[in-house]
Amino acid sequence: MMRSWVESANTEETDFPLENLPLGVFTTGEEAARIGMAIGDRVLDLRGAARAGLFDTLDAEVRKSLEASVLNALMALGRDASRELRARVQELLADAAAQRFMSGLLHLQGAVQMCMPVVVGDYTDFYASIHHATRVGRMLRPDNPLPQSYKYLPIGYHGRASSLLASGAPIRRPWGQFRRSGEVAPCFAPTEALDYELEVGFFIGRGNLPGEPVAMADAEAHLFGACLLNDWSARDIQSWEYQPLGPFLGKNFATTISPWVVTMEALEPFRVPAPVRADGEPAVLPHLAGKENGRRGGIDLQLEVWLRTAQMRRNGQAAVQLSAANLRDLYWTPLQMLVHHTSNGCNLRAGDLFATGTVSGAEDGGRGCLLEITQRGTEPLLLPNGEQRLWLEDGDEVTLRGFCAAEGQRRIGFGACIGVVRGAGVFPLMV
Amino acid sequence: MMRSWVESANTEETDFPLENLPLGVFTTGEEAARIGMAIGDRVLDLRGAARAGLFDTLDAEVRKSLEASVLNALMALGRDASRELRARVQELLADAAAQRFMSGLLHLQGAVQMCMPVVVGDYTDFYASIHHATRVGRMLRPDNPLPQSYKYLPIGYHGRASSLLASGAPIRRPWGQFRRSGEVAPCFAPTEALDYELEVGFFIGRGNLPGEPVAMADAEAHLFGACLLNDWSARDIQSWEYQPLGPFLGKNFATTISPWVVTMEALEPFRVPAPVRADGEPAVLPHLAGKENGRRGGIDLQLEVWLRTAQMRRNGQAAVQLSAANLRDLYWTPLQMLVHHTSNGCNLRAGDLFATGTVSGAEDGGRGCLLEITQRGTEPLLLPNGEQRLWLEDGDEVTLRGFCAAEGQRRIGFGACIGVVRGAGVFPLMV
């Protein structure tokens, strides 16, 4: 375990020890947004560090990428650059002699504003948790819950990049078209079935050219890092619109991501074998299989959802945990998602984002969205303070948390991914 | 009818008279890409014109936007800027005295390379032709071809922005996973059902903020212009993957757009009323209706698909026309698509693109893709030279054309949207 002269980075409970060093973009309010790294309860100004000459031993391209106000240029340089930067910062933050000239580059996390860390060109969402897909499918097709292709390919679709939001941005309840139970014609009204989805997002580092698929043996080199992602969903809008082209307005009003990008280097000690398929399950097609994926395709990442209602906040009550799941239980690994995504020649660019879909576990405690927990709005979730929820209400605050933990390893945390639901307001037409 | 001193702009057959002036981005090969306007068989260098002081009477923001190598900044300025620029160029190109100092700013279109005109943040595709939706739906559900929501909202989904290509870029036949007829397990192979789709795309000018829907009365102000769009599709990959989240790898390997953005100003004389709904059809919900849409929501734009096979090229034979349709026959108008898209608060940004989905007519001659023409690959299309097609073959060249024409009006053309199919090549894993 490494020790830093930033004392808050040496505690057991911190998300951000010297072994993590996730990247983000922050502003102090006075200056323009710039790239930083989380260390304990501080954020290190990487642009300032570069300008102070602390990265003069690094590749000039790395230093140049730190002048930007988003991570895309750094991501495009690939894993070697990321590894080089990380090693240098670890060296500096471990060296007591560096404290003297570095303390001016550290800000309290509580005193800065985190921004969208990346300009996301394209955002893709998968459906990789078989526990989620099975529970949801069972509501519609009890005898045959999984789509026919489920065990052959990681099902995915394109989401909206423009409405990706940094943690903390308010979520306005969307208006939309949906059909109330028992009615023939649809209405247009604020959604009555607002949900969250517990997901993990992966950012692309080095891209691939159009028409050039990425082989499994090369896939790892194209991953840059990960974040938490809340794929807010309006279930009534979604179920009215989704045939035959998939989710659209039921999803694209807002998607929240956690502000820190945890690098693949930090996740390294928590890589685990891909799930082994049971007897009788179809074999993975050759281009989606491979030694690399079998040996370390999975990630042992614990995930949690917490809810704090307006009433809880008023009464000073703490948030309530709604679920706990682990990323290693996905049916498809991030490497398989990436290889599948490019298998037709689709090009991924630096900063592109793909998410896992709702991460749910096998047990009832691992249901990653209200759709699963309340059985599509039919079985109320009882909260300890006596409140009930079928779906999210205005004022509800949803927080996702994630961390890697293992015997003999420092905790690698993701920080929080937070959103508070705001009222729908008046639709402009009707003003 | 206006006359220009660029004589080729005064012919009856040109796509680009003085009344059109579409915007694009070109390079001469020697210099970096820059913004231009088509006039007859020439392209006018707008950056050069601005630097030469010809736009000094225009808003400084307009001049500044012409320094960019894509149209996004100009688009963001909205319709007034576009109108101002257009009027000034019309004045210059009509004034014989301007020829002396402007001829150096004109390049032969045949001597320049057209580039992607816009950085597209998000690309959305709709399904707005009821003739297309009905024919496709009938293949799967003969008694109930249209999705339940079809007449209540313009169905749409998110496509891939990274794989948008400028006209002329080769289309590599995608590899993919699909299930051959009669087989239980899927294979992974180059697609055996490659198709084109005849579509029209619309670019957003002024955007809207997250959480702020656009009312129908304001929708027109957010449209900037239009292009032709070929949504290449691999039908076998698509039908294996699309449940329940919609098309993904069956579509996102390539989407070709025509290089010229025809402005809404040029389309103005061809605006027509939105289709009137027959008795018994559901009324349009209030937020998707409105006077503006009723009076001029449609566009009278004729569209054509042409095919030239490798054999035709070898034998010096001309392309064969496969279909003809008109944009005015869509069930939903571009204004309705835009209003629906933002109705949940989804933000559209300058340069974002939405397309109509396959534009098909009611008659057999108006089928906008091979899926319709060959009844899902079961009835061969016979070509005049004796060749047959169920789907596209390597070497096939597909060209989309579009133009507005009316008594007493100059023809407003879109130019061509071209792609040639290339072989799939070897999948990297198997090398």
Side-chain angles (χ1 to χ4, degrees):
Chain A
M1 308 233 183
M2 303 170 83
R3 279 195 69 82
S4 172
W5 47 264
V6 180
E7 279 303 333
S8 58
N10 302 322
T11 62
E12 264 184 38
E13 65 273 15
T14 184
D15 271 351
F16 307 122
L18 206 44
E19 288 84 349
N20 192 348
L21 299 182
L23 290 147
V25 170
F26 72 100
T27 167
T28 56
E30 287 152 22
E31 291 181 76
R34 74 205 102 129
I35 296 174
M37 239 176 202
I39 177 73
D41 61 0
R42 311 283 153 141
V43 47
L44 172 65
D45 177 352
L46 290 187
R47 190 184 70 187
R51 289 184 180 179
L54 300 181
F55 300 147
D56 283 359
T57 53
L58 305 189
D59 196 280
E61 286 297 309
V62 174
R63 286 200 301 280
K64 194 177 152 204
S65 74
L66 297 175
E67 288 290 323
S69 59
V70 285
L71 294 171
N72 296 63
L74 177 61
M75 288 174 159
L77 297 177
R79 293 285 286 274
D80 285 348
S82 172
R83 215 173 277 121
E84 196 184 31
L85 176 62
R86 168 189 170 76
R88 175 62 179 150
V89 174
Q90 281 180 335
E91 180 182 45
L92 287 164
L93 291 176
D95 177 6
Q99 180 167 11
R100 191 173 41 85
F101 52 84
M102 284 186 77
S103 50
L105 298 169
L106 289 164
H107 302 266
L108 261 177
Q109 281 172 27
V112 304
Q113 171 78 37
M114 298 304 297
C115 312
M116 266 298 288
V118 181
V119 174
V120 176
D122 279 291
Y123 157 50
T124 302
D125 201 14
F126 285 92
Y127 194 53
S129 164
I130 197 167
H131 306 301
H132 171 67
T134 303
R135 281 201 197 92
V136 171
R138 204 175 278 143
M139 296 175 198
L140 304 173
R141 301 170 299 274
D143 299 333
N144 186 23
L146 287 179
Q148 57 177 2
S149 64
Y150 194 86
K151 295 185 174 180
Y152 292 96
L153 55 78
I155 293 175
Y157 72 107
H158 289 294
R160 181 100 194 154
S162 73
S163 52
L164 286 163
L165 303 169
S167 177
I171 304 303
R172 192 165 181 171
R173 177 180 298 274
W175 284 76
Q177 209 181 101
F178 54 91
R179 198 161 63 175
R180 292 197 180 96
S181 161
E183 296 190 0
V184 176
C187 64
F188 183 72
T191 177
E192 295 166 3
L194 186 61
D195 202 355
Y196 60 84
E197 288 192 337
L198 168 64
E199 305 198 11
V200 174
F202 290 87
F203 287 102
I204 300 300
R206 196 154 56 77
N208 65 302
L209 294 174
E212 300 196 357
V214 174
M216 181 58 83
D218 297 327
E220 181 75 27
H222 292 267
L223 285 178
F224 184 88
C227 66
L228 306 174
L229 184 146
N230 186 341
D231 181 26
W232 304 93
S233 301
R235 301 300 184 187
D236 40 12
I237 298 173
Q238 185 184 349
S239 63
W240 174 239
E241 75 177 356
Y242 90 105
Q243 286 289 6
L245 300 180
F248 184 50
L249 300 193
K251 298 275 196 178
N252 69 6
F253 56 94
T255 307
T256 307
I257 64 170
S258 57
W260 294 109
V261 179
V262 176
T263 64
M264 296 312 293
E265 285 69 42
L267 297 175
E268 194 61 42
F270 305 95
R271 299 296 291 268
V272 294
V276 177
R277 297 203 165 188
D279 286 347
E281 290 201 292
V284 181
L285 286 178
H287 69 294
L288 295 176
K291 223 190 299 182
E292 174 88 352
N293 186 60
R295 193 171 61 81
R296 55 197 294 279
I299 303 175
D300 180 4
L301 167 56
Q302 298 181 48
L303 298 163
E304 301 171 350
V305 182
W306 296 77
L307 173 68
R308 200 173 184 212
T309 67
Q311 184 182 314
M312 291 175 185
R313 279 205 304 284
R314 273 196 306 274
N315 295 343
Q317 289 161 320
V320 175
Q321 187 171 346
L322 300 190
S323 71
N326 195 304
L327 196 71
R328 67 185 298 168
D329 295 331
L330 293 184
Y331 194 77
W332 296 98
T333 69
L335 293 174
Q336 288 173 320
M337 296 180 218
L338 189 147
V339 168
H340 177 65
H341 203 324
T342 68
S343 65
N344 67 344
C346 179
N347 56 319
L348 309 182
R349 299 169 294 188
D352 282 355
L353 175 66
F354 69 85
T356 55
T358 305
V359 183
S360 292
E363 309 298 321
D364 276 359
R367 295 174 293 185
C369 56
L370 287 175
L371 178 67
E372 293 177 57
I373 293 175
T374 69
Q375 284 285 321
R376 218 180 172 188
T378 60
E379 299 176 7
L381 166 69
L382 305 178
L383 302 174
N385 68 346
E387 288 186 276
Q388 296 191 358
R389 285 292 179 275
L390 289 173
W391 305 107
L392 294 173
E393 297 190 2
D394 293 351
D396 283 354
E397 177 186 78
V398 178
T399 300
L400 311 184
R401 296 190 177 280
F403 57 93
C404 299
E407 193 63 34
Q409 295 288 345
R410 293 296 294 272
R411 170 190 169 103
I412 299 294
F414 279 65
C417 176
I418 305 176
V420 179
V421 178
R422 286 225 184 128
V426 178
F427 196 78
L429 170 84
M430 302 163 187
V431 176
Chain B
M1 309 235 183
M2 305 170 82
R3 278 196 68 84
S4 172
W5 47 263
V6 179
E7 280 302 333
S8 59
N10 302 322
T11 62
E12 265 183 36
E13 65 274 13
T14 184
D15 271 352
F16 307 121
L18 206 43
E19 288 84 349
N20 192 349
L21 298 183
L23 290 148
V25 170
F26 72 101
T27 167
T28 58
E30 288 153 20
E31 290 182 77
R34 75 205 100 131
I35 295 173
M37 240 176 202
I39 177 74
D41 61 0
R42 310 285 152 141
V43 48
L44 172 65
D45 177 351
L46 289 188
R47 191 184 67 186
R51 289 184 180 179
L54 301 181
F55 300 146
D56 282 0
T57 53
L58 305 189
D59 196 281
E61 286 296 308
V62 175
R63 286 199 302 279
K64 194 178 152 203
S65 73
L66 297 175
E67 289 290 324
S69 59
V70 285
L71 295 170
N72 296 62
L74 177 61
M75 288 173 158
L77 297 176
R79 294 285 285 274
D80 286 347
S82 171
R83 216 174 276 120
E84 197 184 30
L85 176 63
R86 168 188 170 77
R88 176 62 180 151
V89 174
Q90 280 180 335
E91 181 181 45
L92 288 164
L93 291 177
D95 177 7
Q99 181 167 9
R100 190 173 42 86
F101 51 85
M102 284 186 79
S103 49
L105 296 170
L106 289 165
H107 302 266
L108 261 176
Q109 281 172 29
V112 304
Q113 170 78 37
M114 298 303 296
C115 313
M116 266 297 288
V118 181
V119 173
V120 176
D122 279 291
Y123 157 49
T124 302
D125 202 14
F126 284 92
Y127 194 53
S129 164
I130 197 168
H131 306 301
H132 170 67
T134 303
R135 281 200 197 92
V136 171
R138 204 175 279 142
M139 295 174 200
L140 305 172
R141 300 169 300 274
D143 298 333
N144 186 24
L146 288 179
Q148 58 177 2
S149 64
Y150 195 86
K151 295 183 173 182
Y152 291 96
L153 54 79
I155 292 175
Y157 71 107
H158 288 295
R160 180 99 195 155
S162 73
S163 53
L164 286 163
L165 302 169
S167 177
I171 304 304
R172 192 164 181 170
R173 177 179 297 274
W175 284 75
Q177 209 182 101
F178 54 91
R179 197 162 62 176
R180 292 197 180 97
S181 162
E183 296 188 1
V184 176
C187 64
F188 183 72
T191 176
E192 295 166 4
L194 186 61
D195 202 355
Y196 60 83
E197 288 192 339
L198 169 63
E199 304 198 12
V200 175
F202 289 87
F203 288 101
I204 300 301
R206 196 153 56 77
N208 65 300
L209 294 174
E212 299 196 358
V214 174
M216 181 58 82
D218 298 326
E220 181 75 27
H222 292 266
L223 285 178
F224 184 89
C227 67
L228 305 175
L229 184 146
N230 186 341
D231 180 26
W232 304 93
S233 300
R235 300 301 184 187
D236 41 12
I237 298 173
Q238 186 184 348
S239 63
W240 174 239
E241 75 177 355
Y242 88 106
Q243 286 288 8
L245 300 180
F248 184 49
L249 300 194
K251 298 274 196 179
N252 69 6
F253 56 94
T255 307
T256 307
I257 64 170
S258 57
W260 294 109
V261 180
V262 176
T263 64
M264 297 312 293
E265 284 69 42
L267 298 174
E268 193 62 42
F270 305 95
R271 299 295 291 267
V272 294
V276 177
R277 297 203 165 187
D279 286 348
E281 289 201 293
V284 182
L285 287 178
H287 68 294
L288 296 175
K291 224 190 298 182
E292 175 88 353
N293 185 61
R295 192 170 62 79
R296 54 197 295 276
I299 304 175
D300 180 3
L301 167 56
Q302 299 182 48
L303 299 164
E304 300 171 351
V305 182
W306 297 77
L307 172 68
R308 199 173 185 213
T309 67
Q311 185 183 313
M312 291 176 186
R313 278 206 305 283
R314 272 196 306 275
N315 297 342
Q317 290 162 319
V320 175
Q321 187 172 347
L322 300 190
S323 70
N326 195 304
L327 196 71
R328 67 186 298 167
D329 295 331
L330 293 184
Y331 195 78
W332 295 99
T333 69
L335 293 174
Q336 288 173 320
M337 295 180 219
L338 189 147
V339 168
H340 176 64
H341 203 325
T342 68
S343 64
N344 67 344
C346 179
N347 56 318
L348 309 181
R349 299 169 294 187
D352 282 355
L353 175 67
F354 69 86
T356 55
T358 305
V359 183
S360 293
E363 309 298 322
D364 275 359
R367 296 174 293 185
C369 57
L370 288 176
L371 178 68
E372 293 178 56
I373 293 176
T374 69
Q375 284 285 322
R376 221 180 170 186
T378 60
E379 299 175 6
L381 166 69
L382 305 178
L383 302 174
N385 68 347
E387 288 187 278
Q388 297 191 358
R389 285 292 179 276
L390 289 173
W391 305 109
L392 294 174
E393 297 190 2
D394 293 350
D396 283 353
E397 177 186 78
V398 178
T399 300
L400 311 184
R401 296 191 177 279
F403 57 92
C404 298
E407 194 62 35
Q409 294 287 346
R410 292 296 294 272
R411 170 189 168 102
I412 299 294
F414 278 65
C417 177
I418 305 176
V420 179
V421 178
R422 286 225 185 129
V426 179
F427 196 79
L429 171 82
M430 302 164 188
V431 175

